[in-house]
Amino acid sequence: MKTSSMQWARMQLHTKACLSSSVLNQLNHFFSSGSQAQPPTFKVLSGNKDGDFCLGADLSLLSELIESGDKDKLENYGSSYLMLIDQLLCGARDNFTSVAIVQGRAFGAGMLVALAADILIAEPQSEFMNPSILFEQYPCAVLAKKLSDRASSDVILDVFRSGKRYDAQALFELGLIDVVCDKGAAEQQVCELIAHAKQHHCGRIALQNYRNRRNGLTNKTRKQLVDNWVSKVTKGDKRLVQYLRRLGRLQSE
């Protein structure tokens, strides 16, 4: 859905609520600036209405690729994921403000995608958890820096690395969620927020300043991060493959 000041992407994850290679490619296209400069825009990302936001990376796919030692496809997947996080963190560079709506579960890579957005709006039934499987150093370290003005580093790292489940109110009280609204009201909340920001230019600037302004990852740095991750996960640890398979089955339930 597009208007002159708002673009909306709803992840249709009916079969399996995870970041497949196809979904990553589509989201990267959605958040890309294109070749021309664009006017100030809000880009909104949500999951299926009244359903899960995203249950993380495609763990079944990753377990297969790790077991077969397919480094090329692992590199492609990892690079696409890091590119998505980087585009969310650097939207100010391309003159857009990102908004994530969570109305269900946001786990693992899905939770980090939501937290990377400028503004995170959640309904009370939402749940968040990060088991720290994919790229432990980045984006967690970068997100911790971005969120450092809202909560202490100890709190942020505990949320990212403990594997605990948090409801929306708990993360709101920790300062990591911007708005907790009534169930079923998140989409209306976004429309009201954008309408208010359009009427108050200073307000829009304030919203944009939520972002940790950075130049983003260079291609060289992204490749180094991906290469390090691929090297780590392809060392022949059968327990990792079994763990990913088990979690991958849970993603389909």
Side-chain angles (χ1 to χ4, degrees):
M1 180 172 71
K2 294 185 178 182
T3 67
S4 59
S5 61
M6 178 175 66
Q7 300 176 11
W8 197 308
R10 191 187 305 279
M11 293 185 286
Q12 301 294 334
L13 308 178
H14 297 295
T15 304
K16 191 173 183 181
C18 65
L19 294 171
S20 66
S21 297
S22 175
V23 169
L24 281 174
N25 289 336
Q26 292 177 61
L27 290 179
N28 275 316
H29 178 73
F30 175 71
F31 285 108
S32 68
S33 61
S35 58
Q36 296 180 346
Q38 61 181 20
T41 305
F42 284 87
K43 295 195 176 187
V44 184
L45 177 63
S46 64
N48 296 331
K49 191 171 183 179
D50 297 326
D52 293 321
F53 177 76
C54 178
L55 299 182
D58 190 340
L59 301 181
S60 296
L61 172 65
L62 292 181
S63 66
E64 293 174 4
L65 297 179
I66 291 170
E67 188 171 38
S68 65
D70 194 331
K71 293 186 177 182
D72 288 341
K73 289 184 179 179
L74 284 169
E75 289 172 0
N76 288 337
Y77 187 95
S79 183
S80 293
Y81 170 65
L82 290 187
M83 184 179 297
L84 173 60
I85 295 293
D86 199 48
Q87 288 196 120
L88 284 163
L89 288 170
C90 298
R93 176 187 58 199
D94 298 319
N95 211 18
F96 75 80
T97 300
S98 56
V99 183
I101 297 178
V102 178
Q103 298 165 295
R105 295 176 294 177
F107 291 170
M111 172 181 168
L112 300 183
V113 165
L115 287 171
D118 291 313
I119 305 162
L120 174 51
I121 297 173
E123 295 186 359
Q125 72 274 17
S126 304
E127 290 184 304
F128 299 82
M129 181 183 68
N130 182 39
S132 289
I133 296 173
L134 190 62
F135 298 105
E136 294 181 2
Q137 295 180 348
Y138 186 97
C140 287
V142 178
L143 285 171
K145 183 179 179 182
K146 173 196 170 188
L147 299 168
S148 61
D149 61 339
R150 308 190 194 183
S152 70
S153 58
D154 289 341
V155 167
I156 295 170
L157 291 177
D158 188 53
V159 171
F160 285 165
R161 296 180 179 176
S162 67
K164 299 176 185 175
R165 288 198 187 198
Y166 295 85
D167 60 26
Q169 187 61 35
L171 286 192
F172 175 76
E173 292 173 359
L174 291 174
L176 304 185
I177 289 179
D178 300 287
V179 178
V180 177
C181 62
D182 294 337
K183 184 175 181 179
E187 297 187 8
Q188 182 60 35
Q189 184 77 40
V190 170
C191 293
E192 292 176 358
L193 180 150
I194 293 174
H196 180 77
K198 287 170 62 179
Q199 294 173 0
H200 300 83
H201 179 65
C202 291
R204 190 187 188 287
I205 293 174
L207 290 176
Q208 192 72 17
N209 286 338
Y210 267 66
R211 182 176 305 281
N212 174 29
R213 293 178 179 274
R214 10 184 331 270
N215 294 322
L217 289 174
T218 63
N219 291 334
K220 180 179 179 180
T221 300
R222 183 183 298 116
K223 187 176 188 309
Q224 288 175 339
L225 288 166
V226 172
D227 287 347
N228 290 340
W229 173 69
V230 171
S231 176
K232 179 179 178 180
V233 299
T234 54
K235 289 186 180 297
D237 188 344
K238 293 183 179 180
R239 291 175 300 177
L240 174 61
V241 173
Q242 292 171 354
Y243 180 54
L244 292 178
R245 279 180 179 166
R246 185 166 67 250
L247 291 182
R249 288 193 294 270
L250 292 174
Q251 287 179 323
S252 301
E253 294 180 355

